[in-house]
Amino acid sequence: MPLDKVKAVNYKRFLSKRVGQIPESGIRKFFGIAAKMPEVISLCIGEPDFSTPPPIAKAGFDAVYDKPIGYTANSGLMELREKLSEHLENLYQISYNPEDEIVVTVGVSEAVKCVFTAICNDGDEIIIPEPCFVSYEPEVVFAGGVPVQVGCKAENNFEPLASQIREKITDKTKAIFLGFPNNPTGAVLTPENALAIAKLAEEHDFLIISDEIYDRLVYGVEHICISSLPNMKERTVLLGGFSKDYAMPGWRVGYMCANPDLMEAFSKVHQYAIMSAPTISQYAALAALEIGEPFVKEMHEKYNRRRKLLVSGLNEMGLDCFEPRGAFYAFPSVASTGLSGDEFAEKLLIEQQVAVVPGSGFGIGGENHVRIAYCKSYEEIEIALKQMWEFISNI
Ligand SMILES: Cc1ncc(COP(=O)(O)O)c(C=O)c1O
């Protein structure tokens, strides 16, 4: 029997306008090009080059044999929530109740989705200081909210100023999303600035959602945990995770902490979408909190050495580089070369096989900059710097 001719399907018809309005991530496109080129030194990717510390990984493997690997409670293993509560109390003297103020998520990524889905009604505004990690703005849009960008400037150490934020506050402002230590700039918030932003949140009655995934990676300064500021625990949603500080990105574990009234709503999104974070990974995360400290310190020292090498190397070759005090990124301006960030990254890749990411992919304030991740060995960074010298000398 002859088959009927298959009717062409117009797939676009099925897609939501919300998803359609988000462009493809500029940085992913770049990773793709770099990944296909052999011999590239890739300083593109924002993930630790260290393996998960073996005793932490072993705790995950052991759990497979020793524990029932079913779903955990929706909020995560109680032992892990208890340990997280203790950990936050020790580091920042804030007290989160493991019963109803902490939920273990599939990385900070999932926590961002839960929070925006739970708080945004159509048209609600979320203030987002940029440059910033690429997922915040799309997640606001997916949830029906409206991202309101604030461009951070190098001359202000890439911090958002309270005066800039004040200008953007309207009666639709629901929250500000802070991501410090910052990806891509490496900026941290000074205590004065954090307090000024906290005061605005109180005065104008909005939430602070604070992605503190790089909290342990600060150099020569103290990390300011927003919820530990006076009166801030009640209006802060604290997001944290294991991907960066503990070199566990593929284990996919993070957490969100908030007041029980908010958490009840976040948990609804989490429980229907995810059920519970991966059980094996939760056991590994528990071990990270129990025995991970020496590894965190060791990796921190190595990052700091690389940071100093990279930043001084960039400044010596005439690329104005603000001193990053957190995370594992440098964010130099390439304006002195006469090239845009996009042109610089593309030509450097083709001519010297060094991959960096154009800053424009991270939002307002990123133009004419590139992000360089120092998640490569000291020796590889030395080679990359030599190749960059060569490239710049020939422009
Ligand atoms: C600032 C920031 N937040 C969140 C994430 C995602 O983290 P996770 O692996 O916990 O989902 C990243 C990853 O690069 C990041 O840089």
Side-chain angles (χ1 to χ4, degrees):
M1 215 169 71
L3 290 173
D4 286 343
K5 203 170 164 222
V6 180
K7 222 170 143 187
V9 181
N10 173 11
Y11 293 107
K12 280 207 172 128
R13 191 174 85 71
F14 299 108
L15 301 180
S16 87
K17 285 194 189 122
R18 278 183 189 158
V19 172
Q21 85 187 74
I22 302 290
E24 196 199 333
S25 159
I27 67 171
R28 277 276 144 215
K29 214 163 65 190
F30 219 77
F31 294 164
I33 303 172
K36 284 191 201 126
M37 295 177 66
E39 311 288 315
V40 164
I41 300 186
S42 177
L43 305 175
C44 271
I45 300 188
E47 76 176 27
D49 56 317
F50 302 107
S51 305
T52 300
I56 297 177
K58 183 172 181 303
F61 298 137
D62 286 351
V64 176
Y65 300 104
D66 301 344
K67 316 267 186 202
I69 304 297
Y71 300 118
T72 65
N74 291 136
S75 311
L77 284 173
M78 191 42 142
E79 302 100 287
L80 176 56
R81 282 180 282 144
E82 280 168 354
K83 200 75 204 163
L84 273 168
S85 172
E86 211 181 293
H87 176 76
L88 294 169
E89 176 94 49
N90 288 341
L91 286 175
Y92 307 118
Q93 295 73 56
I94 26 171
S95 147
Y96 281 108
N97 184 345
E99 285 283 345
D100 55 4
E101 293 187 314
I102 301 179
V103 168
V104 179
T105 55
V106 180
V108 168
S109 305
E110 190 228 331
V112 171
K113 181 171 270 318
C114 289
V115 173
F116 287 139
T117 307
I119 69 169
C120 287
N121 289 315
D122 285 350
D124 281 346
E125 293 175 1
I126 309 291
I127 298 177
I128 306 184
E130 293 184 347
C132 67
F133 180 51
V134 291
S135 83
Y136 307 153
E137 222 178 287
E139 289 295 359
V140 172
V141 173
F142 293 153
V146 178
V148 177
Q149 298 92 345
V150 169
C152 301
K153 299 192 174 114
E155 63 258 36
N156 299 326
N157 296 331
F158 285 112
E159 285 187 84
L161 302 183
S163 54
Q164 287 180 292
I165 294 167
R166 191 178 292 108
E167 276 173 23
K168 302 286 180 169
I169 299 171
T170 70
D171 55 2
K172 294 198 181 128
T173 304
K174 216 155 212 184
I176 182 167
F177 196 104
L178 298 175
F180 294 91
N182 183 268
N183 172 6
T185 63
V188 298
L189 284 181
T190 56
E192 302 74 40
N193 205 10
L195 280 167
I197 297 171
K199 198 159 156 237
L200 278 182
E202 253 192 312
E203 268 170 27
H204 296 271
D205 191 23
F206 57 79
L207 294 174
I208 300 185
I209 307 160
S210 188
D211 174 357
E212 301 183 20
I213 191 166
Y214 295 98
D215 68 335
R216 307 302 308 285
L217 294 175
V218 288
Y219 313 98
V221 289
E222 259 186 45
H223 172 67
I224 309 287
C225 176
I226 300 287
S227 7
S228 69
L229 299 176
N231 305 334
M232 276 303 114
K233 189 190 156 211
E234 292 312 310
R235 61 172 67 245
T236 301
V237 180
L238 169 63
L239 311 182
F242 293 83
S243 297
K244 316 290 178 175
D245 300 346
Y246 295 94
M248 299 175 66
W251 295 82
R252 310 306 302 128
V253 200
Y255 53 91
M256 47 188 176
C257 306
N259 174 277
D261 288 343
L262 289 173
M263 197 55 100
E264 201 183 321
F266 304 161
S267 295
K268 267 192 218 167
V269 184
H270 168 76
Q271 106 193 22
Y272 289 118
I274 299 292
M275 304 268 277
S276 58
T279 304
I280 299 163
S281 305
Q282 290 192 57
Y283 282 110
L286 178 61
L289 296 178
E290 285 168 346
I291 54 167
E293 201 52 30
F295 300 104
V296 172
K297 291 218 166 83
E298 194 186 322
M299 290 186 276
H300 177 278
E301 263 170 41
K302 290 191 173 149
Y303 286 132
N304 199 13
R305 226 179 127 236
R306 300 169 182 185
R307 179 185 75 100
K308 289 179 187 160
L309 169 73
L310 180 62
V311 173
S312 62
L314 292 169
N315 280 318
E316 275 165 29
M317 69 180 80
L319 298 182
D320 197 9
C321 186
F322 137 92
E323 185 178 353
R325 296 294 196 151
F328 37 52
Y329 308 102
F331 201 62
S333 163
V334 296
S336 62
T337 64
L339 300 173
S340 70
D342 290 59
E343 289 165 340
F344 183 96
E346 204 173 318
K347 282 181 188 270
L348 178 65
L349 179 59
I350 292 163
E351 292 176 24
Q352 288 294 334
Q353 293 76 51
V354 174
V356 298
V357 183
S360 56
F362 301 95
I364 302 176
E367 318 79 18
N368 300 323
H369 288 75
V370 292
R371 185 190 78 174
I372 307 182
Y374 42 92
C375 300
K376 278 281 184 282
S377 69
Y378 193 88
E379 294 69 29
E380 280 172 294
I381 295 171
E382 278 181 324
I383 298 170
L385 281 169
K386 277 199 194 114
Q387 290 177 213
M388 287 176 82
W389 259 110
E390 185 74 25
F391 170 67
I392 286 181
S393 318
N394 288 313
I395 288 177

